[in-house]
Amino acid sequence: MAAWRYVGTLDDLWEGEMRTVNVGAVDVLLCNPDGEVFAYEDRCPHLANPLSQGVLRDGFLTCAAHEWVFDARTGRGVNPASACLRRYPVRLAGDRIYVSGGQVE
Ligand code: FES
């Protein structure tokens, strides 16, 4: 079972913001679309562009390279719908954010 890693506080990730943290050997994109924190591999499933170079707006994450769009709350593709981000578990302890290296199934 993967360990939880401390990756920062909610003060580091305001609503509407995203940022990358390293969890083990993986760059993980933290995003806070509307007050809840989600974590995804910072790698677009299309051609591996870092999603952190994209835009988070109105609950959607858009890749900067070719504008694939994902639901920031689920990681599911919006355009194209067949795409899906690799998601990681997030846990809050007060305002402290922890991410597990174990992928959400
Ligand atoms: S690499 Fe993200 S849309 Fe192409």
Side-chain angles (χ1 to χ4, degrees), residues 39-105:
Y40 303 104
E41 185 177 15
D42 188 14
R43 183 178 193 275
C44 181
H46 181 214
L47 294 175
N49 193 67
L51 291 166
S52 53
Q53 295 176 359
V55 175
L56 175 64
R57 183 176 300 134
D58 297 331
F60 296 100
L61 178 57
T62 303
C63 180
H66 313 99
E67 301 188 338
W68 281 23
V69 180
F70 305 89
D71 185 322
R73 296 183 60 83
T74 64
R76 293 196 183 106
V78 174
N79 183 21
S82 59
C84 193
L85 302 181
R86 181 169 292 180
R87 184 173 169 188
Y88 294 91
V90 174
R91 188 181 78 184
L92 291 180
D95 71 340
R96 295 168 64 87
I97 305 167
Y98 294 84
V99 172
S100 170
Q103 181 184 351
V104 173
E105 297 299 326

Side-chain angles (χ1 to χ4, degrees), residues 6 12-13 18 20 27 34 37 48 51 54 71-72 74 81 84-85 95:
Y6 170 72
D12 302 321
L13 189 72
M18 58 181 182
T20 305
D27 287 333
D34 55 10
V37 178
L51 291 166
D71 185 322
T74 64
C84 193
L85 302 181
D95 71 340

